[in-house]
Amino acid sequence: MAPPRLTGALRSFSNVSKQDYTEDIYDLKSKRLKRQELLSKEGLTWQKITQFFGQHLEKGEQRIATEELKKILQAARQIVGTDFGQETVESAAVFLFRTFYGTDQVGHEETRAIKHMFGPFPCSAADVSCAAVGRLVSPMDETQVEAFVKAETTPRVPDRASFGRNIAFSFDSYALDYLENLPWGDEDGHPGHGFSLDF
Amino acid sequence: MASARVPLDEQHVTEPSGPMGRDRTLPALHPERMEDRCFVVYRPPPLESSAAQLEEFLEHAQFIADDLDWLLALPHDKFWCQVVFDESLQKCLDSYLRHAPRGLDPEALPASPAVADMQRRLHRSVFMTFLRMATHKESKENFITPAVFGEIIYNNFLFDIPKILDLCVLYGKGNSQLLHKMIENIFTQQPNYYGDLEEAVPTITQVLDTILEKCGLQLEGATASEPLKLEAHGRSTAMTMSQQDLVDLVLYLCDSCTTIYSLLDIFPAACHTFQSHGFLSRLASFYELAVPDFEKAIRKRNFDDKSLQEDMWRRISHSCRKMVEIAHLFVLHTCLQPILEGSENVQSCVEEFLQIMTAFLQEKRFLVDYDEQFSVVDDVSLLQQAFPHLDETRSSYLLQGVECAWESAGRKRLRPAPIAATQEVMERRGKE
């Protein structure tokens, strides 16, 4: 439990701060999805992936590719749950594509990455999406897919000087500043009488 | 794009909007220009560090740190849109101020190096965010009209009194100069904060009264207008309350004293607001009543954990020191400094000093502890030099009172007795 604080009393009993007791707006799961959504907006998007395969595959292969893309989307829906909209599902599908395009199995790293992004997820959905991504990229040259993903992935933090970058900051904090240690053996502030020389 | 040399609050921007991509013009500060970033709230590092708890803390903290990095790298106009309109950002910052470990917390330091590193990264980013929020002029091109800035920060609760106090106690030790500039700017651009501080002081005083009440003690005058409750006689005291209650009270006192001290140290102008509520005499009376009781309880109670008992003692000692230092900050900033700086109101400052010190005469334990750290005789001699018309009868009475307080406390002073020292000063002045 948090230690009692003066500012806690001020927030509770005075009228000088915003009276708003609901703290959590977003939990970890919705934050993970939001991050994925932002990432996919910044660079690689589901639309770009579908366009890429539409442009680079033969007509006969395109029908199969469409099926595989659908499977990836379905797996993404299973992983994020039914409470989220198309945009979130597509961003999750982008994440699955990016996770699996260079591998042919759901290994430890891939499982950890998905869990970190979405929390607990059905393994079957990961297996299905991994296999679908594998079939999707198999007619293509590996380096071509690699180049496409890299080109579409932009840095997350804007390349701009951050405020405060050159401001000196100290991590010093207030520490206990006491004058004396506990006077063991004292009674009412007077010297202790643990022994006596008064024989 | 926003035009240069026009304050942000007067700028308009034209940007494409909607599926048709038609241009639209909006004020530069507009909720639709805010990005939906979804800041999460801060949670303190877990005390029991299971791997899962640590991972959860790190993930939470990583989100906040990344989001604050993103925020701090935003251009001026986008930063302010986010700050003003993103409720989740404000909740995130507020949660950090509330829950971030203070240096004084019993278990302040995270054990894991990864957690400690992340905590340090967050600590700096949160400070820089508040620093940017307290800056109305970032550069020649990027600025907000001062009066509008004052309204923005006040009406949107970007800063409020509890937040300012949290900032002082979290960052004041190592960043006092920056923090002083920030708080001074906030109060200058928005004087309503003085009114809020005025409103907050009675609650701060109430905290002291609550501690006394919990210890079965009552301040004369504090509740004299209220009849004594019938169950008051059966109330617990520092000796009889549960150990956990005693620990909580000591932690509360320790945090309160440090927080008040940090504010007054960083922003001395607040002393006048506190003093207008007679805070100092309440503090001295509180000290006189509560400190001996706490000390006795901590010494005599049977603690299972001796290290906890020692920690409680140090916290009471720390609180005493801070209360004395608070009193000295008042004396310094409301009396001594204006006198030394040749203020026009020297006489009223001298009168204020004598009144404060004379009021301390009733609180003998407090006076002795004060005098031990900040010699009253030195201050009196300083006044005598700066203000030759100082009433000698009153100053002698005051110094005799200090001497009596030492005698009644039965403690030995390390410095020469005030009377002797005053005589020395007087003699020196006579020779000069």
Side-chain angles (χ1 to χ4, degrees), chain B residues 365-428:
Chain B
R365 165 73 196 268
F366 176 77
L367 182 59
V368 167
D369 288 350
Y370 180 93
D371 187 52
E372 196 170 31
Q373 280 194 65
F374 305 102
S375 160
V376 176
V377 71
D378 286 353
D379 287 348
V380 169
S381 75
L382 201 75
L383 286 190
Q384 283 166 337
Q385 290 165 48
F387 187 69
H389 307 294
L390 184 69
D391 184 342
E392 276 182 31
T393 316
R394 286 179 76 186
S395 56
S396 300
Y397 171 73
L398 173 62
L399 294 176
Q400 276 171 4
V402 174
E403 187 61 12
C404 288
W406 276 96
E407 278 168 20
S408 66
R411 279 158 58 180
K412 283 181 189 169
R413 57 165 71 247
L414 297 171
R415 283 191 291 264
I419 303 297
T422 314
Q423 278 168 352
E424 259 176 53
V425 171
M426 302 297 277
E427 280 166 17
R428 243 186 321 193

Side-chain angles (χ1 to χ4, degrees), chain B residues 96-391:
Chain B
Y96 186 83
L97 295 184
R98 285 171 189 232
H99 303 302
R102 275 94 159 115
L104 289 170
D105 283 354
E107 292 176 65
L109 292 175
S112 144
V115 171
D117 283 351
M118 180 57 78
Q119 186 57 40
R120 282 165 70 88
R121 184 181 161 198
L122 273 183
H123 197 58
R124 186 182 190 282
S125 298
V126 170
F127 180 76
M128 290 303 162
T129 306
F130 276 105
L131 179 60
R132 198 175 185 189
M133 286 183 348
T135 308
H136 67 280
K137 188 174 181 183
E138 236 173 71
S139 66
K140 280 181 185 171
E141 290 78 26
N142 298 314
F143 62 98
I144 303 174
T145 310
V148 178
F149 167 77
E151 279 175 30
I152 288 174
I153 57 169
Y154 190 75
N155 296 343
N156 295 289
F157 292 93
L158 301 190
F159 290 93
D160 57 31
I161 299 299
K163 284 183 185 179
I164 291 169
L165 283 161
D166 282 329
L167 285 167
C168 287
V169 78
L170 278 168
Y171 297 103
K173 177 75 176 169
N175 302 282
S176 57
Q177 285 185 337
L178 271 177
L179 208 52
H180 170 76
K181 280 187 184 173
M182 279 166 70
I183 297 174
E184 192 176 47
N185 194 42
I186 291 166
F187 275 76
T188 304
Q189 307 309 338
Q190 182 50 273
N192 281 343
Y193 282 114
Y194 281 108
D196 281 3
L197 187 60
E198 194 88 42
E199 255 189 72
V201 173
T203 310
I204 295 174
T205 312
Q206 184 60 46
V207 166
L208 300 180
D209 292 346
T210 304
I211 293 173
L212 285 179
E213 204 180 314
K214 298 258 183 206
C215 294
L217 302 164
Q218 263 184 330
L219 258 183
E220 273 179 42
T223 49
S225 56
E226 295 168 22
L228 197 65
K229 287 179 186 166
L230 287 174
E231 70 267 28
H233 293 293
R235 254 182 219 162
S236 63
T237 66
M239 278 302 285
T240 60
M241 67 177 66
S242 75
Q243 185 175 299
Q244 189 53 50
D245 285 349
L246 178 65
V247 169
D248 281 348
L249 275 186
V250 172
L251 289 174
Y252 197 25
L253 176 62
C254 190
D255 175 76
S256 301
C257 295
T258 313
T259 306
I260 299 166
Y261 169 80
S262 66
L263 173 74
L264 300 178
D265 185 39
I266 286 153
F267 187 56
C271 287
H272 295 281
T273 311
F274 274 76
Q275 194 52 343
S276 69
H277 287 269
F279 182 79
L280 195 46
S281 62
R282 293 292 282 274
L283 183 75
S285 308
F286 170 85
Y287 190 104
E288 198 70 15
L289 273 172
V291 168
D293 250 43
F294 273 124
E295 285 182 343
K296 186 179 166 194
I298 293 168
R299 250 200 327 255
K300 292 199 163 180
R301 284 182 64 139
N302 188 20
F303 281 78
D304 301 331
D305 179 355
K306 294 295 171 199
S307 66
L308 176 65
Q309 190 175 11
E310 282 177 353
D311 183 61
M312 290 296 106
W313 183 264
R314 287 179 191 141
R315 283 175 193 279
I316 284 295
S317 175
H318 170 91
S319 306
C320 290
R321 192 163 187 157
K322 287 292 161 238
M323 282 189 271
V324 164
E325 285 174 358
I326 289 169
H328 183 250
L329 284 173
F330 275 100
V331 172
L332 184 67
H333 293 294
T334 61
C335 312
L336 298 178
Q337 207 152 298
I339 293 169
L340 293 175
E341 286 169 357
S343 152
E344 287 175 7
N345 305 319
V346 171
Q347 196 162 351
S348 66
C349 291
V350 170
E351 183 59 33
E352 175 85 4
F353 175 84
L354 291 173
Q355 275 186 14
I356 289 174
M357 288 298 164
T358 309
F360 285 172
L361 293 180
Q362 294 175 44
E363 323 293 359
K364 292 188 166 43
R365 165 73 196 268
F366 176 77
L367 182 59
V368 167
D369 288 350
Y370 180 93
D371 187 52
E372 196 170 31
Q373 280 194 65
F374 305 102
S375 160
V376 176
V377 71
D378 286 353
D379 287 348
V380 169
S381 75
L382 201 75
L383 286 190
Q384 283 166 337
Q385 290 165 48
F387 187 69
H389 307 294
L390 184 69
D391 184 342

Side-chain angles (χ1 to χ4, degrees), chain A residues 75 88 157 171:
Chain A
T88 310
V157 179
F171 289 96

Side-chain angles (χ1 to χ4, degrees), chain A:
Chain A
M1 217 175 89
R5 285 176 183 158
L6 174 70
T7 50
L10 275 175
R11 284 187 173 95
S12 301
F13 302 117
S14 75
N15 209 16
V16 293
S17 58
K18 199 173 184 178
Q19 300 297 311
D20 185 359
Y21 301 104
T22 53
E23 262 204 349
D24 273 321
I25 305 184
Y26 302 106
D27 58 12
L28 272 181
K29 187 171 182 182
S30 39
K31 179 62 188 171
R32 288 179 191 128
L33 293 171
K34 173 53 72 178
R35 178 178 60 180
Q36 178 52 32
E37 198 182 302
L38 290 171
L39 276 176
S40 62
K41 267 185 196 164
E42 283 172 4
L44 193 59
T45 63
W46 188 245
Q47 201 184 359
K48 284 177 184 170
I49 292 172
T50 52
Q51 272 175 3
F52 174 77
F53 287 102
Q55 287 164 1
H56 292 84
L57 291 174
E58 299 293 324
K59 268 207 170 167
E61 291 165 333
Q62 276 184 22
R63 198 180 50 79
I64 301 165
T66 310
E67 287 301 311
E68 302 305 343
L69 288 167
K70 262 189 201 167
K71 282 180 192 162
I72 300 169
L73 268 182
Q74 276 167 0
R77 190 178 293 282
Q78 269 189 290
I79 288 173
V80 299
T82 49
D83 299 340
F84 297 93
Q86 186 66 13
E87 207 174 353
T88 310
V89 174
E90 284 184 2
S91 69
V94 172
F95 180 83
L96 293 175
F97 176 80
R98 208 171 10 203
T99 306
F100 292 126
Y101 78 89
T103 182
D104 54 1
Q105 61 174 340
V106 187
H108 178 70
E109 273 304 300
E110 289 77 19
T111 307
R112 204 184 62 84
I114 299 172
K115 195 179 169 197
H116 195 248
M117 180 60 78
F118 305 108
F121 64 95
C123 294
S124 59
D127 291 335
V128 168
S129 57
C130 179
V133 172
R135 286 191 294 271
L136 187 64
V137 300
S138 62
M140 308 273 299
D141 181 1
E142 266 179 36
T143 53
Q144 201 179 2
V145 180
E146 179 81 35
F148 162 69
V149 172
K150 278 205 172 144
E152 294 296 340
T153 306
T154 52
R156 283 157 61 190
V157 179
D159 187 19
R160 189 178 174 278
S162 182
F163 177 89
R165 200 179 47 171
N166 298 320
I167 295 175
F169 177 79
S170 162
F171 289 96
D172 275 2
S173 64
Y174 287 105
L176 278 184
D177 176 18
Y178 49 92
L179 287 168
E180 54 180 31
N181 279 313
L182 182 61
W184 294 107
D186 281 18
E187 291 290 329
D188 297 324
H190 300 297
H193 299 287
F195 64 94
S196 171
L197 295 175
D198 185 18
F199 296 107

